[in-house]
Amino acid sequence: MNDPRAAGRFDPDNRGEGVLLIYTGGTIGSMPSDPEDPDSPRVAIPWEEFRRRTPALNRTLADGSPNPSWIGFNVDAWWTEPRDSCNVGPAEWVELARVIESCHDRYQGFVILHGTDTMAYTASALSFMLPGLDRPVILTGAQRSHLFNARNDATQNLISALMLANPGFSRVPVIPEVTIFFNRTLLRGNRARKVNATGYDAYQSPSFPPLAVAGERIEADPLLLRPRPGPGRLRVRTALEPNVVPVSFFPGIQDGKLLEGILDDPRLRGVVLLAYGAGNIPTRPSVLEAIRRATARGVVAMAVTQCGGGRVELGMYETSVKLIDAGVVTGVDITPEAALTKLMVLLGDDDLGPAEVARLAQQNLCGEMSLGVYVTRLEQPGTVRLDAARPRHRFAARRFEGLDGRAGEVEELVLRLRKAECRTGGGRLAIRLFADLGPDEPADPGSDRLVGEFGRRPTDPAEPGRTMFFVITRAAHKLAGDRVSLTVALDTDDPAAVLTWESAEVAAFRPA
Ligand code: ASP
């Protein structure tokens, strides 16, 4: 869309410089519906009235004389029908993204006035919809509007957001991403959560520090700022998949059929599983089977924590290993709001199949996760079976994702053998992994090609199809390089010893 007037409204007085203020309504723009009754339900007022009642936005007073309360730079406006943010969703996000796209190069930055209830969703969605953004896009709102309250948080939030959106004027660094300014702090939008329904500190980003703090001066943290992509890099993504849902686990969900009802719905394309703690769910077979049925037909399932902070560590407890077995990917410390909108945007891209969406969902795309998970699938002809007679499998040489030049930063590197089974006749069994072991070289534990040596108990016959994990972090540097082959070798003299697996992958957990 080239003409932003086509949707919403573009103020005829706009000059095309300074900051573009995008007004959508919310508490910051709301007043009592009955002017005689201050306690009557509040409704968002039209933009023209909002502007009239907001002195900082007006260069002159009604009589044409200079306004001493003017912010000091030009603020243009675009507005939608004013609404409570409960009525903002994907259609409005697309409108906002298009306005920013069409006006991107004309303004120093953008401020979106928005209700607080769904601000984190809009900020998260826009962060994924606006890759290549070279300007600040700052959402803000208020718990108490300045329109009818002398004591309010709206004025500070609005003025500080406008200042941050005009870095040249305010002498702050350019923060070229989607953020939320609230109660003194500028937060990365896809890390922020509404944590207080009434307090002025409504927004926090539990797993990421504020990008800037506004006190007597506005101080940005230079270590947290992303580099500017430069002009001409903005690529707006406006296709969003609507059939994505969050499902929060609760004690008792395993007893009913509701979860299966959601997961078996043929329209479902993506699900955010709000798991307990570090990614745990009830292990009742009906729950796991329902998840497995969904992922098997291409639904992308992502686990996030329902705690206020911390991260998902799939594989830490028995109850979360089963999520990996069921084809669930990890969201690490992504917020539920960012997980939902990330899946909407990735699944909306027709060029990406479910496997590719699942792969990208675990990677850090725009600062939403502290760690990215880079998964390299290892090709193999079919099920691999190792035993005393044929004790080795060598995967073809390849490049492992996430290790390029950064092997030293990897927090965890793990080989996963999926649907793996191990049996012995009671004898000793060791599993050794090697990097670039030649076909004739001995699988010797003293070899400097050794990546790790592991013991494994025989698989419980009652629980077939489990994923076997081998943590090989300390040998990450041995797998870094353009073409490295990985060899799995059994060391046993037990003629009944067998190790089989159906597919294999290496996952690197690396800081974003
Ligand atoms: N219900 C309002 C909204 O989200 C709440 C607010 O703005 O604070 O639009």
Side-chain angles (χ1 to χ4, degrees):
M1 191 192 73
N2 293 323
D3 184 359
R5 283 160 240 232
R9 304 259 181 83
F10 208 58
D11 194 326
D13 295 337
N14 282 348
R15 296 165 170 238
E17 59 182 52
V19 172
L20 183 68
L21 182 67
I22 299 176
Y23 176 73
T24 70
T27 291
I28 193 166
S30 296
M31 294 189 66
S33 47
D34 178 354
E36 309 286 303
D37 174 8
D39 295 328
S40 57
R42 284 169 235 159
V43 287
I45 61 172
W47 160 252
E48 294 84 347
E49 199 180 339
F50 181 88
R51 173 159 221 157
R52 222 173 336 102
R53 291 171 175 271
T54 308
L57 301 178
N58 300 306
R59 195 183 289 257
T60 53
L61 299 173
D63 63 4
S65 60
N67 171 11
S69 307
W70 181 48
I71 193 164
F73 54 83
N74 184 61
V75 178
D76 277 358
W78 183 89
W79 66 94
T80 62
E81 178 199 328
R83 45 166 76 89
D84 190 289
S85 74
C86 300
N87 294 318
V88 173
E92 288 74 29
W93 303 338
V94 169
E95 265 191 318
L96 296 174
R98 289 201 166 129
V99 172
I100 292 166
E101 176 185 31
S102 61
C103 301
H104 181 264
D105 298 341
R106 267 186 280 161
Y107 294 98
Q108 303 304 312
F110 300 83
V111 170
I112 302 175
L113 296 186
H114 197 286
T116 62
D117 285 340
T118 67
M119 192 183 286
Y121 290 91
T122 300
S124 297
L126 289 178
S127 75
F128 300 115
M129 293 166 76
L130 298 170
L133 183 69
D134 193 47
R135 300 280 190 274
V137 170
I138 305 170
L139 288 98
T140 195
Q143 296 284 37
R144 269 171 87 86
S145 175
H146 59 297
L147 299 171
F148 65 108
N149 295 296
R151 189 177 73 78
N152 66 79
D153 58 336
T155 305
Q156 273 317 312
N157 286 350
L158 171 63
I159 305 287
S160 301
L162 286 168
M163 291 283 185
L164 280 155
N166 195 351
F169 178 90
S170 314
R171 302 202 187 168
V172 293
V174 177
I175 302 177
E177 59 177 289
V178 181
T179 53
I180 288 181
F181 184 85
F182 224 90
N183 189 38
R184 304 189 308 121
T185 52
L186 185 76
L187 308 172
R188 178 162 290 164
N190 53 34
R191 294 296 195 121
R193 304 205 72 192
K194 186 170 181 181
V195 294
N196 194 319
T198 49
Y200 283 177
D201 53 349
Y203 271 90
Q204 280 173 17
S205 56
S207 302
F208 198 75
L211 297 169
V213 177
E216 198 247 322
R217 296 188 336 176
I218 298 177
E219 309 268 9
D221 184 337
L223 295 176
L224 301 177
L225 304 189
R226 298 159 71 82
R228 290 184 72 168
R233 306 293 298 272
L234 181 65
R235 296 281 171 272
V236 175
R237 308 173 83 162
T238 51
L240 271 71
E241 170 56 52
N243 293 302
V244 180
V245 292
V247 173
S248 191
F249 282 88
F250 60 89
I253 194 171
Q254 64 271 35
D255 300 333
K257 290 269 175 218
L258 290 175
L259 179 66
E260 282 152 88
I262 295 170
L263 294 175
D264 286 337
D265 189 313
R267 290 166 297 189
L268 186 70
R269 299 275 320 279
V271 59
V272 177
L273 300 172
L274 286 106
Y276 303 124
N280 307 307
I281 62 157
T283 49
R284 184 164 298 182
S286 59
V287 171
L288 295 166
E289 269 313 309
I291 297 173
R292 201 188 320 267
R293 278 198 302 278
T295 57
R297 65 173 203 277
V299 171
V300 178
M302 186 188 229
V304 306
T305 176
Q306 57 182 248
C307 299
R311 65 171 69 150
V312 164
E313 306 207 17
L314 293 190
M316 195 179 200
Y317 297 100
E318 186 69 6
T319 41
S320 70
V321 172
K322 294 190 172 178
L323 278 181
I324 297 191
D325 295 340
V328 175
V329 299
T330 173
V332 190
D333 60 352
I334 196 169
T335 64
E337 294 86 345
L340 187 80
T341 53
K342 184 176 185 177
L343 288 188
M344 285 177 167
V345 172
L346 290 176
L347 288 165
D349 187 337
D350 286 341
D351 292 338
L352 304 176
E356 187 61 6
V357 170
R359 193 179 76 85
L360 291 171
Q362 304 184 81
Q363 295 186 4
N364 171 51
L365 302 183
C366 48
E368 74 280 10
M369 290 156 79
S370 303
L371 283 183
V373 187
Y374 301 83
V375 178
T376 308
R377 290 194 191 289
L378 304 176
E379 276 140 46
Q380 61 183 55
T383 300
V384 175
R385 179 192 154 100
L386 301 186
D387 53 30
R390 186 186 173 277
R392 283 193 198 187
H393 179 79
R394 185 177 199 262
F395 291 103
R398 58 167 311 142
R399 195 183 65 81
F400 290 91
E401 286 202 48
L403 299 185
D404 267 5
R406 299 184 62 181
E409 294 170 48
V410 168
E411 281 194 15
E412 185 162 297
L413 188 68
V414 46
L415 169 70
R416 298 175 186 154
L417 301 182
R418 295 212 178 234
K419 300 209 173 140
E421 287 185 36
C422 171
R423 291 193 301 276
T424 68
R428 187 188 59 83
L429 170 87
I431 300 166
R432 295 191 188 126
L433 306 176
F434 296 89
D436 278 339
L437 187 73
D440 302 323
E441 278 182 81
D444 183 351
S447 160
D448 60 3
R449 302 190 191 283
L450 186 76
V451 165
E453 172 164 331
F454 307 84
R456 285 291 180 268
R457 287 216 206 98
T459 313
D460 179 349
E463 289 205 282
R466 305 294 304 274
T467 303
M468 225 178 244
F469 296 79
F470 301 91
V471 177
I472 51 177
T473 317
R474 276 194 290 165
H477 60 283
K478 295 189 185 173
L479 296 190
D482 256 1
R483 289 176 54 75
V484 181
S485 71
L486 189 64
T487 295
V488 183
L490 276 196
D491 181 44
T492 183
D493 32 31
D494 182 342
V498 181
L499 173 67
T500 61
W501 67 87
E502 280 189 16
S503 64
E505 66 202 23
V506 169
F509 293 70
R510 201 194 65 200

